[in-house]
Amino acid sequence: MLKGRNITGIIVATIYCLIMMEILLRSQRDGVVHLPAWYYPIIPIGAGIICFIFDKFVTFDFFKEDER
């Protein structure tokens, strides 16, 4: 299913999504805050960039066992 994918990148991207969503939700609790429409697409775009960087540039994966 995830053959060739970097599991570390997927986990880091998931953590990024959760933190960004928490930041966006907390910014609205303080009162009526009108966030620009481009704030919400930052989450999936950032997750895609993180996965791309870990798949193409960071070759070491912390969660895969060595195939020796």
Side-chain angles (χ1 to χ4, degrees):
M1 183 172 118
L2 295 174
K3 190 173 184 177
R5 296 295 309 264
N6 194 326
I7 305 298
T8 305
I10 294 171
I11 291 174
V12 170
T14 304
I15 292 170
Y16 165 80
C17 289
L18 294 174
I19 290 172
M20 283 300 295
M21 189 54 117
E22 182 67 25
I23 290 171
L24 289 174
L25 290 177
R26 281 189 182 213
S27 68
Q28 294 178 355
R29 286 188 196 151
D30 297 335
V32 178
V33 177
H34 298 287
L35 297 174
W38 58 270
Y39 271 36
Y40 296 101
I42 287 175
I43 298 171
I45 291 171
I49 291 171
I50 290 170
C51 286
F52 175 76
I53 288 172
F54 272 88
D55 286 342
K56 300 296 180 188
F57 301 113
V58 179
T59 57
F60 182 73
D61 193 354
F62 291 104
F63 296 100
K64 285 190 179 176
E65 296 178 8
D66 291 335
E67 297 174 358
R68 294 180 188 177

